[in-house]
Structure formats: structure tokens, C-alpha cells
Amino acid sequence: MPPVKHRKVVMLGYPSVGKSSLALQFVKGDFPKEYEPTIENTWSKTFVLGNDEFELDVVDTAGQDEYSLLPQAFIFGIHGYIVVYSVACARSFHIASVLYRVLVDKRGKCLMPIVLVGNKTDLPEHNREVKSEEGKKLADSWGAAFMEVSAKDPEKSKQIFTKIIEEIDRVERSFSDE
Ligand code: GDP
């Protein structure tokens, strides 16, 4: 087998949108019952995707709002971003756009693999404040991948992390082809 590929991604988004729940579903395969606001945690998991073995570090942040300045540690040495909002919170969707602009400012537009994630799709439909089409449209405008998920669904949650690995590969390949 080829050498293990190391990748580091950061989870960004408004507080309480489900960043930790998604990360824990991926790392531990469980939906956490107790809500503990995260200060900052990095989780690591090794897994096989296609013919490659990856070691993925996931930096789970405390959450941001429109005044958050992303620290350098979230910019340098980071391969990709998982930007999360809750489909039941329009404000968190707005913050996702704000975060994208901060990222572009700090990192530049190229080589920015992103998966935009609308979480909490299990909530009743009357709670929904952000339509699927709006999420898809925003992700398209970034040239990013888009997924709607529920952190209660282990399979869907895991797909986010395989998606970001694929996006990192896709963006890096398109960059080296230029
Ligand atoms: P974070 O601050 O973005 O890391 O959010 P957490 O993962 O700590 O979740 C905040 C709250 O939302 C907790 O009470 C979670 O149980 C709940 N939560 C997270 N994801 C989901 C989801 O997909 N569906 C529902 N119904 N609740 C969720």
C-alpha cells in the first residue's frame, strides 16, 4: 500500500450548528448526547478510501460569528474546510457566507477545498429556515461541494469527511494541471 496521506481540515460555523456532533460521529461513530460547547479539539482518524490510506486530522472549533477573525492556525497547514450551518437557523447560513469571505481574504481564492454542510435535516420541516436550493446555490458560487445531513445519521455524517478528502484531491489536481 502507498504511504499514508496526511490531511488536516477545519470545521467552521456558527456555534451550536452541530460541528462537534458531526466530528464525533465520524471519529467515534456515535451521536453525543450531552452538549458541551467545544473550546477547540483536534480529532484524528485513519481510514482507507479507494486505494489510499488517509490520516485525517479534524480541528473542531468553538464556532464563529461575523466578528470572528480566523487565527493563523486555521489558515496555514490546512488542506480543506468543512463549513457547517443548521438548516433550521438562517443566521448560521448568513455566518457561513461571512466565513467564506474571511477565508478568501486570508488565504486567497485558489486551492480552497470546501464542503458546505447544511446540518439538522432530521428536525421537522416547519423548523427549516434555509432551503436546500439556497445551500446548493451558495456552494456553487464558491465552487465547493454541498451536502445536507443530520448528525444523527452516521453514514451521512461520515460522507462529509470522505467528500472533503475527495475535494482536496480534486482541487489540488486542478491546480497542478494549470
Ligand atoms: P457545535 O457548537 O457546532 O459544535 O454544535 P454541537 O455539535 O455541540 O451541537 C449543538 C446542539 O445541537 C446539541 O444539542 C446537539 O445535540 C444538537 N445537534 C447537533 N447536530 C444535530 C442534528 O443533526 N440534529 C438535531 N436534531 N440536533 C443536532
Side-chain angles (χ1 to χ4, degrees), residues 15-21 31 35 119-120 122-123 150-152:
S16 275
V17 293
K19 297 179 295 299
S20 306
S21 303
F31 181 78
Y35 169 55
N119 188 36
K120 306 200 185 184
D122 61 290
L123 290 174
S150 161
K152 296 189 174 181

Side-chain angles (χ1 to χ4, degrees), residues 139-158:
D140 284 349
S141 74
W142 299 351
F146 174 64
M147 292 180 71
E148 275 197 348
V149 302
S150 161
K152 296 189 174 181
D153 178 338
E155 275 317 304
K156 276 262 173 187
S157 305
K158 281 182 198 153

Side-chain angles (χ1 to χ4, degrees), residues 64-174:
Q64 297 78 31
D65 61 20
E66 54 267 81
Y67 307 108
S68 300
L69 302 166
L70 300 179
Q72 301 286 48
F74 293 177
I75 307 294
F76 294 106
I78 302 301
H79 296 96
Y81 297 91
I82 298 172
V83 178
V84 186
Y85 65 92
S86 160
V87 298
C89 176
R91 180 164 167 73
S92 70
F93 186 60
H94 167 67
I95 297 299
S97 314
V98 172
L99 286 169
Y100 177 74
R101 285 197 294 273
V102 176
L103 278 177
V104 170
D105 255 15
K106 293 220 165 191
R107 245 186 101 112
K109 232 180 166 117
C110 52
L111 258 188
M112 190 135 71
I114 301 182
V115 179
L116 176 66
V117 176
N119 188 36
K120 306 200 185 184
T121 54
D122 61 290
L123 290 174
E125 197 50 36
H126 66 260
N127 289 349
R128 191 183 265 271
E129 292 186 0
V130 186
K131 292 190 195 120
S132 300
E133 304 83 74
E134 294 175 276
K136 175 82 176 77
K137 202 169 148 197
L138 185 62
D140 284 349
S141 74
W142 299 351
F146 174 64
M147 292 180 71
E148 275 197 348
V149 302
S150 161
K152 296 189 174 181
D153 178 338
E155 275 317 304
K156 276 262 173 187
S157 305
K158 281 182 198 153
Q159 280 170 21
I160 295 170
F161 298 89
T162 50
K163 193 69 176 167
I164 190 66
I165 296 272
E166 288 166 3
E167 279 298 292
I168 292 167
D169 259 20
R170 184 183 68 78
V171 172
E172 283 185 354
R173 247 184 288 117
S174 67

Side-chain angles (χ1 to χ4, degrees), residues 22-33:
L22 291 166
L24 288 168
Q25 268 290 19
F26 169 63
V27 180
K28 298 189 193 286
D30 192 21
F31 181 78
K33 289 172 192 63

